[in-house]
């Protein structure tokens, strides 16, 4: 990964803050020295220096093969994928087919290095077959309405025409994932770092989804709760604004709904079951 980036400001700042924090904790923490240098050993024994030589720690940015420091994410995540080639196989076998039967858990990860290793080894959205989906959810949360973390929630989403956005969809999905694992969707936070949460209930975002269809792509952000109070509605609206401006790159006042392109809109899972359910648009 290059040291320079064209990421939106919030994901880039959050990523840098997370990396700097992880390196500082490792370098300044109670980590035994592995140096064989006699001078360093004597100095440490004499109490001349209590600082660990930062050069002993190799990040993936300095040594892509032999790095010995990982940068932990705020939460652990799981990538899921459903394979459309398996749809209908259950019916052919004479068994009942239901949503989720063909969903596959790809991998769990909890560090920056593992994320990039995963990202660089999966098929990008622009090459996904029709009806395929990627689901990136916090570990322990299944990408289904029936999961307790999602039952009372909803989703922000945007639909984009496949033929006009195929060249951009990989980048937009990457930015969405980075915003999710970098915890910037519920920003702004002081210094770009989210405050400690006492429980998962304090965190609204449960996961993000990339869907490929015959004529369009859809990116969605799932939330734990819907708009049942004014305070919650305001927090959800902030997520939508972050998604529209800092992830997708639109101006906040841009009117984008036209043809196969939808507005950036929020709808609770319960409302989405209705023929004309209530939606919130930013």
């Amino acid at each position: 990964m290059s040291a320079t980036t064209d990421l939106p400001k919030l994901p880039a700042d959050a990523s840098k803050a997370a990396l700097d924090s992880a390196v500082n904790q490792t370098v300044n923490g109670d980590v035994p020295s592995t140096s064989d240098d006699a001078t360093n050993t004597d100095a440490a024994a004499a109490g001349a220096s209590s600082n660990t030589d930062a050069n002993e720690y190799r990040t993936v940015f300095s040594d892509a093969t032999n790095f010995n420091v990982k940068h932990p994410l705020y939460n652990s995540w799981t990538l899921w994928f459903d394979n459309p080639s398996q749809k209908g196989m259950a019916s052919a076998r004479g068994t009942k087919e239901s949503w989720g039967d063909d969903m596959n858990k790809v991998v769990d990860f909890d560090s920056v290095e593992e994320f990039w290793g995963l990202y660089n080894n999966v098929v990008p959205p622009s090459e996904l077959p029709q009806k395929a989906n990627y689901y990136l959810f916090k570990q322990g949360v299944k990408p289904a309405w029936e999961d307790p973390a999602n039952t009372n929630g909803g989703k922000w989403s945007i639909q984009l025409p496949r033929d006009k956005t195929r060249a951009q969809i990989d980048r937009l999905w990457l930015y969405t994932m980075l915003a999710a694992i970098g915890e910037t969707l519920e920003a702004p936070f002081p210094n770009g770092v989210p405050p400690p949460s006492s429980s998962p209930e304090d965190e609204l975002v449960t996961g993000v989804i990339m869907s490929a269809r015959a004529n369009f792509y859809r990116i969605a952000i799932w939330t734990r709760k819907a708009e049942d109070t004014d305070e919650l509605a305001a927090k959800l609206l902030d997520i939508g604004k972050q998604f529209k401006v800092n992830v997708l790159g639109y101006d906040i006042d841009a009117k984008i709904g036209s043809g196969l392109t939808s507005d950036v809109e929020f709808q609770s899972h319960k409302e989405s079951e209705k023929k004309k359910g209530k939606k919130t648009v930013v």
Side-chain angles (χ1 to χ4, degrees):
M1 182 181 175
S2 172
T4 60
T5 178
D6 61 350
L7 293 179
K9 187 176 186 304
L10 280 175
D13 288 349
S15 177
K16 183 178 184 303
L19 294 179
D20 290 346
S21 175
V23 171
N24 287 336
Q25 289 176 16
T26 304
V27 171
N28 297 323
D30 186 17
V31 181
S33 172
T34 58
S35 173
D36 292 328
D37 189 291
T39 302
N40 287 343
T41 302
D42 292 340
S49 174
S50 60
N51 294 325
T52 305
D53 185 355
N55 292 329
E56 294 175 8
Y57 301 96
R58 299 182 301 277
T59 73
V60 70
F61 301 104
S62 60
D63 190 331
T65 303
N66 300 309
F67 61 89
N68 58 10
V69 175
K70 285 187 177 181
H71 303 96
L73 298 172
Y74 189 76
N75 281 292
S76 298
W77 295 80
T78 302
L79 180 69
W80 303 74
F81 172 71
D82 67 350
N83 186 348
S85 66
Q86 295 180 3
K87 294 184 186 296
M89 291 179 64
S91 297
R93 293 192 299 266
T95 59
K96 183 178 180 180
E97 183 179 22
S98 62
W99 185 91
D101 283 349
D102 57 351
M103 186 178 294
N104 299 291
K105 180 179 177 180
V106 179
V107 70
D108 297 321
F109 64 92
D110 60 7
S111 72
V112 174
E113 288 77 10
E114 290 167 332
F115 168 76
W116 285 111
L118 169 66
Y119 176 76
N120 290 323
N121 286 281
V122 297
V123 175
S126 60
E127 298 179 19
L128 287 177
Q130 297 176 19
K131 299 184 179 180
N133 304 279
Y134 279 133
Y135 310 85
L136 181 63
F137 275 69
K138 290 176 178 175
Q139 191 172 32
V141 179
K142 292 191 68 174
W145 290 4
E146 295 79 7
D147 190 285
N150 299 319
T151 300
N152 298 315
K155 66 177 182 293
W156 281 102
S157 65
I158 185 171
Q159 179 177 295
L160 300 164
R162 189 177 181 116
D163 58 342
K164 294 181 180 179
T165 56
R166 187 166 187 172
Q168 294 83 39
I169 195 63
D170 295 345
R171 172 174 53 84
L172 295 178
W173 173 235
L174 172 60
Y175 289 179
T176 303
M177 290 191 293
L178 289 174
I181 67 174
E183 311 293 340
T184 65
L185 289 170
E186 297 181 53
F189 298 119
N191 302 318
V193 179
S197 59
S198 58
S199 73
E201 294 294 324
D202 295 334
E203 302 170 10
L204 284 176
V205 174
T206 58
V208 293
I209 300 176
M210 171 72 231
S211 301
R213 298 295 182 264
N215 298 316
F216 62 85
Y217 297 106
R218 181 185 295 117
I219 300 177
I221 300 169
W222 278 29
T223 62
R224 186 179 301 273
K225 299 176 182 178
E227 306 159 295
D228 54 358
T229 67
D230 290 343
E231 180 182 4
L232 182 56
K235 290 181 179 179
L236 289 169
L237 190 62
D238 282 343
I239 293 175
K241 291 177 179 178
Q242 294 285 357
F243 183 41
K244 181 177 181 178
V245 176
N246 292 306
V247 176
L248 299 175
Y250 293 106
D251 291 334
I252 189 61
D253 297 323
K255 306 298 181 184
I256 57 178
S258 177
L260 287 175
T261 302
S262 73
D263 288 308
V264 177
E265 56 190 30
F266 180 84
Q267 189 171 43
S268 71
H269 296 319
K270 293 179 180 178
E271 287 293 320
S272 66
E273 293 181 304
K274 301 177 182 179
K275 190 172 183 179
K276 293 185 178 180
K278 174 186 173 184
K279 296 180 180 180
T280 299
V281 175
V282 293

